[in-house]
Each structure stands twice: as structure tokens, then as C-alpha cells.
Amino acid sequence: MFLRIDHIGIACEDLEEKIRLFSETFELTVVAREVNEEQGVKEAMLHIADGEGGGSYIQLLEPLSADSPVGKFLARRGEGVHHVAFGVRDVTETMTKIGAKGVRVLDEHPRHGSMNSRIAFLHPKDVGGMLTELVQAADPGKS
């Protein structure tokens, strides 16, 4: 079902500071930046490695406001791992399969994710307390 760990999402107070930390300490390269108004974050994707199923990344997330999901996460827990994202071939199909097993899918339909991916989230209470994201990478042949 899963192709790879697509990314680990890390909530942070200062995106630029964390980019410097991960770039200098781990020699990771920023491959994408965007502001996702729908999710209430500024983000940067830092490339770790490529494998048979695609790339793996660290996603740094800075909230656009204190009342966004990441802003609330930071207020409750402080900086750190926010979610784990798994790469899948077809996010819609995977949502259906996992939902049929009794896991709540937080998204009714896939939504826009980083680097033009299609994503959906699973309820943390149904998967051991971990916010889990499903990621279908963008088709490289499409713009």
C-alpha cells in the first residue's frame, strides 16, 4: 500500500531558522517553498534522498496564524514532529481501502499538497496517536 515515507512534517516557530538548521546540520537542500492558505502554513520541503518509490523529504511548517492547525499544535506541544506522510500510488484508492478498515479519513476528497501532490489525512486516534498523511506525488508529465 505504501511506497515510501514521503516526508516527516515538522512544526516550527521560525521557518528560516529551521531551514538553516537542517541545511547546515544535515546538508539538505530546499527543493520547494510555498504558502498554503488552506492549511494555514508557510512551508519548505528539504530533499533527503530518492528511492525506487520516489523522493523523501523533511517538510518544515510555520503557521500563518496562532489559530491554524499548526499554530494550535505549537501552542499545545511546541516545536517538533507534526505528522508522518506515506507515499501512495493512488490517494483516492488508498483512502477508500483504509476507510473500509475502520480508520477515519479526515478528508472527504483529496486536496492540494506540497509540490502539486494530492493528499489526505487520517485521524490520529485511529492510527496510534500519529497524524498520518497519504501523498500521491504529482505526475511528472503534467504541469
Side-chain angles (χ1 to χ4, degrees):
M1 183 177 298
F2 295 152
L3 303 174
R4 70 193 179 286
I5 294 177
D6 184 87
H7 67 270
I8 306 294
I10 299 175
C12 62
E13 298 283 354
D14 183 333
L15 184 64
E16 296 307 318
E17 175 188 313
K18 290 301 180 273
I19 288 172
R20 275 190 300 283
L21 172 69
F22 280 80
S23 296
E24 292 172 8
T25 304
F26 304 117
E27 301 177 358
L28 301 180
T29 303
V30 175
V31 294
R33 287 176 177 252
E34 66 183 85
V35 174
N36 188 322
E37 297 284 345
E38 178 188 354
Q39 295 181 35
V41 294
K42 287 192 305 187
E43 64 178 76
M45 294 294 274
L46 288 82
H47 184 254
I48 297 171
D50 288 317
E52 190 174 320
S56 291
Y57 306 88
I58 293 290
Q59 179 186 47
L60 300 174
L61 302 161
E62 179 185 321
L64 294 177
S65 67
D67 66 343
S68 70
V70 172
K72 291 175 184 176
F73 176 91
L74 284 169
R76 280 190 317 272
R77 299 186 184 174
E79 293 186 315
V81 174
H82 178 262
H83 67 274
V84 175
F86 295 97
V88 299
R89 278 184 178 46
D90 183 320
V91 71
T92 303
E93 179 182 310
T94 305
M95 291 167 67
T96 301
K97 283 183 181 177
I98 291 175
K101 295 178 181 185
V103 173
R104 288 174 283 177
V105 179
L106 297 175
D107 298 287
E108 190 173 324
H109 304 284
R111 55 179 149 150
H112 169 78
S114 301
M115 302 185 325
N116 291 318
S117 62
R118 297 179 66 221
I119 65 169
F121 286 91
L122 307 179
H123 199 294
K125 289 184 179 178
D126 294 349
V127 286
M130 177 180 68
L131 182 58
T132 302
E133 182 180 358
L134 306 174
V135 179
Q136 178 183 332
D139 181 345
K142 295 181 180 177
S143 53

PDB file of all heavy atoms in Angstrom, residues 51-78:
ATOM      1  N   GLY A  51      14.471   7.221  -3.952  1.00  0.00           N
ATOM      2  CA  GLY A  51      14.467   5.768  -3.929  1.00  0.00           C
ATOM      3  C   GLY A  51      13.562   5.258  -5.025  1.00  0.00           C
ATOM      4  O   GLY A  51      13.039   6.023  -5.824  1.00  0.00           O
ATOM      5  N   GLU A  52      13.357   3.962  -5.024  1.00  0.00           N
ATOM      6  CA  GLU A  52      12.551   3.331  -6.069  1.00  0.00           C
ATOM      7  C   GLU A  52      11.139   3.904  -6.133  1.00  0.00           C
ATOM      8  O   GLU A  52      10.580   4.092  -7.200  1.00  0.00           O
ATOM      9  CB  GLU A  52      12.486   1.826  -5.807  1.00  0.00           C
ATOM     10  CG  GLU A  52      11.892   1.046  -6.941  1.00  0.00           C
ATOM     11  CD  GLU A  52      11.978  -0.444  -6.710  1.00  0.00           C
ATOM     12  OE1 GLU A  52      13.013  -0.908  -6.202  1.00  0.00           O
ATOM     13  OE2 GLU A  52      10.998  -1.133  -7.034  1.00  0.00           O
ATOM     14  N   GLY A  53      10.558   4.237  -4.966  1.00  0.00           N
ATOM     15  CA  GLY A  53       9.192   4.755  -4.931  1.00  0.00           C
ATOM     16  C   GLY A  53       9.100   6.257  -5.059  1.00  0.00           C
ATOM     17  O   GLY A  53       8.018   6.819  -5.044  1.00  0.00           O
ATOM     18  N   GLY A  54      10.223   6.967  -5.162  1.00  0.00           N
ATOM     19  CA  GLY A  54      10.212   8.424  -5.257  1.00  0.00           C
ATOM     20  C   GLY A  54      11.076   9.054  -4.188  1.00  0.00           C
ATOM     21  O   GLY A  54      11.832   8.367  -3.502  1.00  0.00           O
ATOM     22  N   GLY A  55      10.938  10.348  -4.024  1.00  0.00           N
ATOM     23  CA  GLY A  55      11.767  11.092  -3.083  1.00  0.00           C
ATOM     24  C   GLY A  55      11.241  11.057  -1.659  1.00  0.00           C
ATOM     25  O   GLY A  55      10.070  10.791  -1.411  1.00  0.00           O
ATOM     26  N   SER A  56      12.156  11.342  -0.729  1.00  0.00           N
ATOM     27  CA  SER A  56      11.807  11.505   0.687  1.00  0.00           C
ATOM     28  C   SER A  56      12.286  12.881   1.129  1.00  0.00           C
ATOM     29  O   SER A  56      13.346  13.349   0.690  1.00  0.00           O
ATOM     30  CB  SER A  56      12.469  10.427   1.540  1.00  0.00           C
ATOM     31  OG  SER A  56      11.905   9.165   1.265  1.00  0.00           O
ATOM     32  N   TYR A  57      11.506  13.510   2.025  1.00  0.00           N
ATOM     33  CA  TYR A  57      11.735  14.900   2.389  1.00  0.00           C
ATOM     34  C   TYR A  57      11.505  15.147   3.877  1.00  0.00           C
ATOM     35  O   TYR A  57      10.846  14.364   4.556  1.00  0.00           O
ATOM     36  CB  TYR A  57      10.762  15.812   1.608  1.00  0.00           C
ATOM     37  CG  TYR A  57      10.812  15.596   0.128  1.00  0.00           C
ATOM     38  CD1 TYR A  57      10.010  14.640  -0.489  1.00  0.00           C
ATOM     39  CD2 TYR A  57      11.681  16.333  -0.670  1.00  0.00           C
ATOM     40  CE1 TYR A  57      10.068  14.424  -1.857  1.00  0.00           C
ATOM     41  CE2 TYR A  57      11.740  16.126  -2.047  1.00  0.00           C
ATOM     42  CZ  TYR A  57      10.933  15.171  -2.631  1.00  0.00           C
ATOM     43  OH  TYR A  57      10.996  14.955  -3.984  1.00  0.00           O
ATOM     44  N   ILE A  58      12.009  16.292   4.318  1.00  0.00           N
ATOM     45  CA  ILE A  58      11.603  16.896   5.577  1.00  0.00           C
ATOM     46  C   ILE A  58      10.749  18.092   5.171  1.00  0.00           C
ATOM     47  O   ILE A  58      11.161  18.894   4.325  1.00  0.00           O
ATOM     48  CB  ILE A  58      12.820  17.384   6.409  1.00  0.00           C
ATOM     49  CG1 ILE A  58      13.669  16.218   6.892  1.00  0.00           C
ATOM     50  CG2 ILE A  58      12.363  18.271   7.565  1.00  0.00           C
ATOM     51  CD1 ILE A  58      13.028  15.348   7.951  1.00  0.00           C
ATOM     52  N   GLN A  59       9.565  18.219   5.756  1.00  0.00           N
ATOM     53  CA  GLN A  59       8.686  19.359   5.482  1.00  0.00           C
ATOM     54  C   GLN A  59       8.661  20.225   6.733  1.00  0.00           C
ATOM     55  O   GLN A  59       8.226  19.773   7.795  1.00  0.00           O
ATOM     56  CB  GLN A  59       7.279  18.874   5.148  1.00  0.00           C
ATOM     57  CG  GLN A  59       6.302  20.003   4.876  1.00  0.00           C
ATOM     58  CD  GLN A  59       4.888  19.487   4.687  1.00  0.00           C
ATOM     59  OE1 GLN A  59       4.413  18.672   5.477  1.00  0.00           O
ATOM     60  NE2 GLN A  59       4.215  19.954   3.657  1.00  0.00           N
ATOM     61  N   LEU A  60       9.139  21.446   6.599  1.00  0.00           N
ATOM     62  CA  LEU A  60       9.108  22.387   7.712  1.00  0.00           C
ATOM     63  C   LEU A  60       7.870  23.257   7.571  1.00  0.00           C
ATOM     64  O   LEU A  60       7.582  23.775   6.483  1.00  0.00           O
ATOM     65  CB  LEU A  60      10.377  23.245   7.698  1.00  0.00           C
ATOM     66  CG  LEU A  60      11.682  22.459   7.817  1.00  0.00           C
ATOM     67  CD1 LEU A  60      12.882  23.392   7.644  1.00  0.00           C
ATOM     68  CD2 LEU A  60      11.759  21.730   9.144  1.00  0.00           C
ATOM     69  N   LEU A  61       7.121  23.409   8.669  1.00  0.00           N
ATOM     70  CA  LEU A  61       5.836  24.101   8.647  1.00  0.00           C
ATOM     71  C   LEU A  61       5.815  25.222   9.677  1.00  0.00           C
ATOM     72  O   LEU A  61       5.980  24.977  10.876  1.00  0.00           O
ATOM     73  CB  LEU A  61       4.712  23.117   9.001  1.00  0.00           C
ATOM     74  CG  LEU A  61       4.582  21.895   8.110  1.00  0.00           C
ATOM     75  CD1 LEU A  61       3.780  20.809   8.806  1.00  0.00           C
ATOM     76  CD2 LEU A  61       3.930  22.294   6.806  1.00  0.00           C
ATOM     77  N   GLU A  62       5.613  26.445   9.224  1.00  0.00           N
ATOM     78  CA  GLU A  62       5.433  27.595  10.115  1.00  0.00           C
ATOM     79  C   GLU A  62       3.991  28.069   9.968  1.00  0.00           C
ATOM     80  O   GLU A  62       3.534  28.306   8.841  1.00  0.00           O
ATOM     81  CB  GLU A  62       6.389  28.728   9.743  1.00  0.00           C
ATOM     82  CG  GLU A  62       6.218  29.950  10.611  1.00  0.00           C
ATOM     83  CD  GLU A  62       7.088  31.116  10.162  1.00  0.00           C
ATOM     84  OE1 GLU A  62       8.249  30.901   9.752  1.00  0.00           O
ATOM     85  OE2 GLU A  62       6.593  32.258  10.215  1.00  0.00           O
ATOM     86  N   PRO A  63       3.264  28.216  11.059  1.00  0.00           N
ATOM     87  CA  PRO A  63       1.861  28.629  10.941  1.00  0.00           C
ATOM     88  C   PRO A  63       1.725  30.067  10.458  1.00  0.00           C
ATOM     89  O   PRO A  63       2.558  30.925  10.779  1.00  0.00           O
ATOM     90  CB  PRO A  63       1.328  28.482  12.368  1.00  0.00           C
ATOM     91  CG  PRO A  63       2.530  28.626  13.238  1.00  0.00           C
ATOM     92  CD  PRO A  63       3.672  28.047  12.451  1.00  0.00           C
ATOM     93  N   LEU A  64       0.660  30.328   9.709  1.00  0.00           N
ATOM     94  CA  LEU A  64       0.350  31.686   9.287  1.00  0.00           C
ATOM     95  C   LEU A  64      -0.355  32.451  10.402  1.00  0.00           C
ATOM     96  O   LEU A  64      -0.337  33.676  10.412  1.00  0.00           O
ATOM     97  CB  LEU A  64      -0.527  31.672   8.031  1.00  0.00           C
ATOM     98  CG  LEU A  64       0.131  31.112   6.767  1.00  0.00           C
ATOM     99  CD1 LEU A  64      -0.873  31.078   5.615  1.00  0.00           C
ATOM    100  CD2 LEU A  64       1.353  31.931   6.389  1.00  0.00           C
ATOM    101  N   SER A  65      -0.972  31.701  11.332  1.00  0.00           N
ATOM    102  CA  SER A  65      -1.645  32.338  12.466  1.00  0.00           C
ATOM    103  C   SER A  65      -1.695  31.364  13.639  1.00  0.00           C
ATOM    104  O   SER A  65      -1.553  30.157  13.456  1.00  0.00           O
ATOM    105  CB  SER A  65      -3.068  32.757  12.087  1.00  0.00           C
ATOM    106  OG  SER A  65      -3.865  31.608  11.853  1.00  0.00           O
ATOM    107  N   ALA A  66      -1.905  31.899  14.809  1.00  0.00           N
ATOM    108  CA  ALA A  66      -1.955  31.081  16.023  1.00  0.00           C
ATOM    109  C   ALA A  66      -3.162  30.143  16.028  1.00  0.00           C
ATOM    110  O   ALA A  66      -3.128  29.103  16.688  1.00  0.00           O
ATOM    111  CB  ALA A  66      -1.985  31.976  17.263  1.00  0.00           C
ATOM    112  N   ASP A  67      -4.228  30.495  15.292  1.00  0.00           N
ATOM    113  CA  ASP A  67      -5.422  29.649  15.305  1.00  0.00           C
ATOM    114  C   ASP A  67      -5.459  28.635  14.153  1.00  0.00           C
ATOM    115  O   ASP A  67      -6.444  27.920  13.980  1.00  0.00           O
ATOM    116  CB  ASP A  67      -6.693  30.499  15.333  1.00  0.00           C
ATOM    117  CG  ASP A  67      -6.890  31.322  14.070  1.00  0.00           C
ATOM    118  OD1 ASP A  67      -5.922  31.511  13.306  1.00  0.00           O
ATOM    119  OD2 ASP A  67      -8.020  31.789  13.856  1.00  0.00           O
ATOM    120  N   SER A  68      -4.378  28.526  13.374  1.00  0.00           N
ATOM    121  CA  SER A  68      -4.301  27.491  12.340  1.00  0.00           C
ATOM    122  C   SER A  68      -4.000  26.153  13.017  1.00  0.00           C
ATOM    123  O   SER A  68      -3.564  26.119  14.169  1.00  0.00           O
ATOM    124  CB  SER A  68      -3.195  27.834  11.335  1.00  0.00           C
ATOM    125  OG  SER A  68      -1.926  27.692  11.951  1.00  0.00           O
ATOM    126  N   PRO A  69      -4.201  25.026  12.322  1.00  0.00           N
ATOM    127  CA  PRO A  69      -3.894  23.733  12.940  1.00  0.00           C
ATOM    128  C   PRO A  69      -2.449  23.631  13.447  1.00  0.00           C
ATOM    129  O   PRO A  69      -2.205  23.154  14.554  1.00  0.00           O
ATOM    130  CB  PRO A  69      -4.175  22.727  11.822  1.00  0.00           C
ATOM    131  CG  PRO A  69      -5.251  23.385  11.003  1.00  0.00           C
ATOM    132  CD  PRO A  69      -4.889  24.849  11.025  1.00  0.00           C
ATOM    133  N   VAL A  70      -1.486  24.102  12.666  1.00  0.00           N
ATOM    134  CA  VAL A  70      -0.086  24.035  13.111  1.00  0.00           C
ATOM    135  C   VAL A  70       0.160  25.034  14.242  1.00  0.00           C
ATOM    136  O   VAL A  70       0.902  24.746  15.178  1.00  0.00           O
ATOM    137  CB  VAL A  70       0.893  24.234  11.930  1.00  0.00           C
ATOM    138  CG1 VAL A  70       2.333  24.349  12.410  1.00  0.00           C
ATOM    139  CG2 VAL A  70       0.766  23.074  10.943  1.00  0.00           C
ATOM    140  N   GLY A  71      -0.482  26.191  14.192  1.00  0.00           N
ATOM    141  CA  GLY A  71      -0.374  27.155  15.282  1.00  0.00           C
ATOM    142  C   GLY A  71      -0.884  26.577  16.591  1.00  0.00           C
ATOM    143  O   GLY A  71      -0.249  26.730  17.653  1.00  0.00           O
ATOM    144  N   LYS A  72      -2.014  25.891  16.541  1.00  0.00           N
ATOM    145  CA  LYS A  72      -2.576  25.248  17.742  1.00  0.00           C
ATOM    146  C   LYS A  72      -1.668  24.112  18.223  1.00  0.00           C
ATOM    147  O   LYS A  72      -1.496  23.927  19.424  1.00  0.00           O
ATOM    148  CB  LYS A  72      -3.983  24.725  17.451  1.00  0.00           C
ATOM    149  CG  LYS A  72      -4.996  25.833  17.240  1.00  0.00           C
ATOM    150  CD  LYS A  72      -6.344  25.265  16.832  1.00  0.00           C
ATOM    151  CE  LYS A  72      -7.331  26.364  16.528  1.00  0.00           C
ATOM    152  NZ  LYS A  72      -8.614  25.830  16.039  1.00  0.00           N
ATOM    153  N   PHE A  73      -1.106  23.367  17.282  1.00  0.00           N
ATOM    154  CA  PHE A  73      -0.168  22.296  17.633  1.00  0.00           C
ATOM    155  C   PHE A  73       1.020  22.873  18.395  1.00  0.00           C
ATOM    156  O   PHE A  73       1.423  22.344  19.440  1.00  0.00           O
ATOM    157  CB  PHE A  73       0.302  21.579  16.365  1.00  0.00           C
ATOM    158  CG  PHE A  73       1.348  20.524  16.606  1.00  0.00           C
ATOM    159  CD1 PHE A  73       0.983  19.214  16.846  1.00  0.00           C
ATOM    160  CD2 PHE A  73       2.702  20.843  16.592  1.00  0.00           C
ATOM    161  CE1 PHE A  73       1.948  18.233  17.067  1.00  0.00           C
ATOM    162  CE2 PHE A  73       3.672  19.872  16.814  1.00  0.00           C
ATOM    163  CZ  PHE A  73       3.293  18.571  17.057  1.00  0.00           C
ATOM    164  N   LEU A  74       1.597  23.946  17.890  1.00  0.00           N
ATOM    165  CA  LEU A  74       2.753  24.572  18.547  1.00  0.00           C
ATOM    166  C   LEU A  74       2.396  25.057  19.949  1.00  0.00           C
ATOM    167  O   LEU A  74       3.195  24.913  20.879  1.00  0.00           O
ATOM    168  CB  LEU A  74       3.285  25.732  17.706  1.00  0.00           C
ATOM    169  CG  LEU A  74       4.086  25.354  16.476  1.00  0.00           C
ATOM    170  CD1 LEU A  74       4.323  26.571  15.585  1.00  0.00           C
ATOM    171  CD2 LEU A  74       5.407  24.718  16.858  1.00  0.00           C
ATOM    172  N   ALA A  75       1.209  25.624  20.112  1.00  0.00           N
ATOM    173  CA  ALA A  75       0.789  26.117  21.425  1.00  0.00           C
ATOM    174  C   ALA A  75       0.657  24.970  22.427  1.00  0.00           C
ATOM    175  O   ALA A  75       0.986  25.130  23.610  1.00  0.00           O
ATOM    176  CB  ALA A  75      -0.532  26.877  21.301  1.00  0.00           C
ATOM    177  N   ARG A  76       0.174  23.814  21.971  1.00  0.00           N
ATOM    178  CA  ARG A  76      -0.028  22.657  22.857  1.00  0.00           C
ATOM    179  C   ARG A  76       1.260  21.883  23.106  1.00  0.00           C
ATOM    180  O   ARG A  76       1.519  21.437  24.214  1.00  0.00           O
ATOM    181  CB  ARG A  76      -1.051  21.687  22.248  1.00  0.00           C
ATOM    182  CG  ARG A  76      -2.486  22.065  22.417  1.00  0.00           C
ATOM    183  CD  ARG A  76      -3.445  20.944  22.017  1.00  0.00           C
ATOM    184  NE  ARG A  76      -3.096  20.241  20.791  1.00  0.00           N
ATOM    185  CZ  ARG A  76      -3.470  20.589  19.563  1.00  0.00           C
ATOM    186  NH1 ARG A  76      -4.205  21.654  19.381  1.00  0.00           N
ATOM    187  NH2 ARG A  76      -3.121  19.870  18.525  1.00  0.00           N
ATOM    188  N   ARG A  77       2.051  21.673  22.057  1.00  0.00           N
ATOM    189  CA  ARG A  77       3.163  20.723  22.148  1.00  0.00           C
ATOM    190  C   ARG A  77       4.540  21.316  21.893  1.00  0.00           C
ATOM    191  O   ARG A  77       5.546  20.655  22.107  1.00  0.00           O
ATOM    192  CB  ARG A  77       2.943  19.586  21.157  1.00  0.00           C
ATOM    193  CG  ARG A  77       1.671  18.829  21.455  1.00  0.00           C
ATOM    194  CD  ARG A  77       1.548  17.644  20.562  1.00  0.00           C
ATOM    195  NE  ARG A  77       0.266  16.991  20.813  1.00  0.00           N
ATOM    196  CZ  ARG A  77      -0.189  15.993  20.121  1.00  0.00           C
ATOM    197  NH1 ARG A  77       0.516  15.507  19.129  1.00  0.00           N
ATOM    198  NH2 ARG A  77      -1.350  15.461  20.404  1.00  0.00           N
ATOM    199  N   GLY A  78       4.599  22.510  21.337  1.00  0.00           N
ATOM    200  CA  GLY A  78       5.886  23.096  20.979  1.00  0.00           C
ATOM    201  C   GLY A  78       6.387  22.537  19.660  1.00  0.00           C
ATOM    202  O   GLY A  78       5.718  21.750  18.995  1.00  0.00           O
TER     203      GLY A  78
END
